[in-house]
């Protein structure tokens, strides 16, 4: 294991930023810490770098206790959210900084540093701005300089705090793909923080979903998307339909109805929450028999390759997504009655145990 | 037609005053400045040169005047560098770290601005004077503070302490700790972080603060007057020397020395304006103005 976080807690005054968090980062992987703001993801990243100190818990880097080591001895590269480039230094001096401040005994010669800096700037495709100042660069260029600066000290771990947060959408996508390629070439263990679920799911090998200082789920992008462990993960990842249901004897019903709505393995009776993804909602034309879960079409939005159909089921609006051919076959129109099947429904009780 | 009725008011924006009002306001402000600032400044030089350039020069090279100038420069040469170090240390503490008692420290730094300089001088007399708390002990060990150079330096440091810190604190707070954190993660030691990251970011603000600190250190009267003892040729600084000469009706000599202080003020103003003009975005003071 490259990074082992065990039972780390951190408070700021009365605010609990991290509550007994444990996590292992595998060697060479690209891991995403995903969560809304205030979930503690940045605090966890800063603790790994040594910029914050936990109240309790342990941290090991490559098997060695890291908490008693200062950030300058941890051999981590850190890319800050707002880049934090040294404003009074040129791009080349920024990248060279980590090599320049080494003790004389292990410092490279001026020429070696210069050639290494140019090599790094070429890697991030910015050798032509070596003598400019950070204020003369665009956001995306600054981000790449920050990355080159972090990589200059040949860190064993690369930590990135919201690396694409301050960039516009187009640049963000480009940089995302570029970072993934870079990671695949260098195989450096990397952890990045993001609040953008699309970014985490597309870029990372594994995703850690956090909320209110705790880890909700750890898994590959497919795992966390297809099998969310908690209602929070369901809600946070992707588009989802959410309904309040009553559970009785393993059967969930919509409040105020007697018809069974879904089956569940949830033990105990009482109020629960049900989730279903729009593309898991199946619609069919009524075949004459009286089937449960018959609803009414409220609206149809067919733009692009897929169509979005809003249906009403006992006063609850449900969103269904299907490809446009399927919609044509169904031949639905606003106001039509239709059968709603929910084979992929997940029900979570108050105690958040999965179905 | 509507277009024609709008046209005149488009030429005169809503927030522009009529010409006569603008002229009289500007004229009033300029007259005020001329009477209360420019005229006295000119008078200083007129009086100083009233008996010819020779008398002016004689007054400046007179023995007591020379020793007053030397003493003033010496006091400033000790007090200003010390305040530079204290000011930078205090602002670094306040701007870059969170700790208990921080607001108390900020209040303490501001104290010299709110206390009359005479009182700060008296405090040192109470502490180190003949009948002060530490007076007997100091006499036993043959250490002279009051009515000697150390007392003048102490009083000057006290009065001029806020200048550097007050300039740097808002500047450093605005810059935050991001760059310092980046430097630490890249392997820099505390000293390297300060010298290579923090200091270059505050250098113009620091120069600005030092400039004002120096002007005040050389011109300080109240606090220095209490601890000086007014021993001619020994503990008289320039402002004190001017007062003595004036009280002896020696106007030419008094204004000759005063003109040096006025020159210092002018040079300070010019350099200050240059700094504000050239490096305004790197000064906290210009953001406040």
């Amino acid at each position: 294991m490259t990074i082992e976080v065990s039972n780390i807690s951190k408070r700021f005054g009365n605010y609990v930023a991290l509550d007994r968090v444990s996590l292992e980062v595998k060697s060479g992987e690209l891991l995403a810490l995903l969560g809304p703001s205030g979930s503690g993801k940045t605090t966890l990243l800063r603790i790994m770098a040594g910029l914050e100190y936990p109240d309790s818990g342990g941290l090991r880097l490559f098997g060695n206790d890291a908490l008693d080591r200062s950030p300058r001895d941890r051999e981590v590269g850190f890319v800050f959210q707002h880049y934090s480039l040294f404003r009074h230094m040129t791009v080349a001096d920024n990248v060279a900084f980590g090599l320049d401040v080494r003790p004389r005994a292990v410092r490279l010669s001026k020429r070696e540093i210069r050639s290494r800096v140019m090599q790094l700037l070429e890697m991030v495709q910015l050798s032509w701005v070596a003598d400019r100042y950070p204020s003369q660069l665009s956001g995306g260029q600054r981000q790449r300089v920050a990355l080159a600066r972090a990589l200059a000290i040949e860190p064993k771990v690369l930590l990135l705090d919201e690396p694409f947060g301050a960039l516009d959408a187009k640049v963000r996508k480009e940089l995302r793909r570029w970072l993934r390629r870079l990671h695949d070439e260098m195989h450096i263990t990397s952890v990045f923080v993001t609040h953008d679920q699309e970014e985490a799911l597309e870029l990372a090998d594994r995703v850690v979903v956090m909320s209110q200082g705790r880890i909700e789920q750890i898994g590959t992008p497919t795992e966390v998307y297809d099998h969310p462990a908690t209602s929070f993960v369901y809600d946070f990842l992707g588009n989802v339909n959410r309904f309040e249901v009553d559970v009785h004897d393993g059967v969930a019903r919509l409040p105020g109805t007697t018809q069974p709505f879904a089956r569940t393995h949830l033990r105990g009776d009482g109020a629960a929450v049900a989730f279903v993804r729009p593309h898991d909602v199946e619609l069919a034309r009524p075949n004459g028999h009286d089937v449960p879960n018959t609803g009414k079409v409220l609206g149809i939005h067919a733009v692009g390759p897929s169509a979005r159909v809003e249906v009403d089921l006992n006063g609850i609006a449900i969103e269904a997504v299907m490809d446009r051919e399927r919609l044509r076959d169904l031949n639905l129109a606003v106001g039509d009655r239709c059968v709603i099947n929910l084979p992929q429904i997940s029900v979570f009780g108050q105690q958040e145990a999965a179905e | 037609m509507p277009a024609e009725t709008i046209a005149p008011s488009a030429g005169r924006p809503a927030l522009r005053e009529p010409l006569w009002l603008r002229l009289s306001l500007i004229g009033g402000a300029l007259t005020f400045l001329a009477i209360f600032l420019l005229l006295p400044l000119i008078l200083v030089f007129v009086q100083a040169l009233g008996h010819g350039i020779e008398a002016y020069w004689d007054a400046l090279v007179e023995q007591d005047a020379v020793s007053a100038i030397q003493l003033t420069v010496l006091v400033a040469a000790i007090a200003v560098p010390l305040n530079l170090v204290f000011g930078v240390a205090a602002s670094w503490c306040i701007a870059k770290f969170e700790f208990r008692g921080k607001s108390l420290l900020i209040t303490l730094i501001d104290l010299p601005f709110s206390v009359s300089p005479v009182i700060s001088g008296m405090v040192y007399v109470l502490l180190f004077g003949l009948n002060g708390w530490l007076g007997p002990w100091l006499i036993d060990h043959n250490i002279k503070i009051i009515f000697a150079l150390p007392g003048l330096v102490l009083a000057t440091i006290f009065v001029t302490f806020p200048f550097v810190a007050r300039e740097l604190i808002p500047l450093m707070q605005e810059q935050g700790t991001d760059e310092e954190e980046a430097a630490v993660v890249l392997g820099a030691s505390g000293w390297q972080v300060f010298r290579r990251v923090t200091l270059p970011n505050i250098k113009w603000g620091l120069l600005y603060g030092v400039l004002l600190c120096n002007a005040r250190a050389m011109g300080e009267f109240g606090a220095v007057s209490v601890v000086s003892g007014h021993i001619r040729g020994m503990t008289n600084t320039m402002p004190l020397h001017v007062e003595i000469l004036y009280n002896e009706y020696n106007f030419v000599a008094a204004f000759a020395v005063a003109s040096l202080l006025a020159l210092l003020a002018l040079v300070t103003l010019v350099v200050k304006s240059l700094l504000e003009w050239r490096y305004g975005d790197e000064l906290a003071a210009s953001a406040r103005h």
Side-chain angles (χ1 to χ4, degrees), chain A residues 46 51 71-72 76 78 80 84-89 97-98 100-101 149-150 153, chain B residues 175 178-190 192-193 196-197 200-201:
Chain A
R46 287 171 61 86
L51 294 170
R72 59 184 295 228
V76 299
F78 201 101
F80 292 82
S84 298
L85 295 177
F86 306 124
R87 67 194 96 179
H88 62 280
M89 293 183 202
F97 187 87
D100 273 342
V101 295
R149 184 179 68 174
I153 57 169
Chain B
Q175 289 177 347
D178 293 2
E179 290 184 37
E180 278 83 1
E181 283 185 345
V184 168
V185 175
L186 287 168
S189 65
Q192 283 173 322
V193 172
R196 305 188 54 151
V197 177
N201 279 339

Side-chain angles (χ1 to χ4, degrees), chain B residues 24-44:
Chain B
S24 53
L25 280 176
I26 293 170
L30 284 180
T31 314
F32 182 87
L33 279 177
I35 293 178
F36 288 92
L37 289 174
L38 198 59
L39 202 60
L41 197 62
I42 293 170
L43 270 181
V44 168

Side-chain angles (χ1 to χ4, degrees), chain B residues 31-91:
Chain B
T31 314
F32 182 87
L33 279 177
I35 293 178
F36 288 92
L37 289 174
L38 198 59
L39 202 60
L41 197 62
I42 293 170
L43 270 181
V44 168
F45 287 96
V46 168
Q47 283 285 339
L49 296 165
H51 291 258
I53 194 98
E54 219 160 284
Y56 177 80
W57 185 250
D58 285 346
L60 288 185
V61 296
E62 188 254 335
Q63 208 186 347
D64 289 346
V66 168
S67 71
I69 294 168
Q70 281 172 341
L71 184 64
T72 301
V73 171
L74 180 64
V75 168
I78 300 172
V80 172
L82 283 175
N83 266 343
L84 185 146
V85 174
F86 295 154
V88 170
S91 351

Side-chain angles (χ1 to χ4, degrees), chain B residues 242-271:
Chain B
V242 171
E243 194 210 14
I244 290 180
L245 292 172
Y246 187 82
N247 287 342
E248 290 170 348
Y249 304 104
N250 191 348
F251 295 133
V252 170
F255 281 106
V257 180
S259 71
L260 285 186
L261 287 170
L263 270 179
L264 170 75
L266 285 177
V267 169
T268 305
L269 262 180
V270 168
V271 179

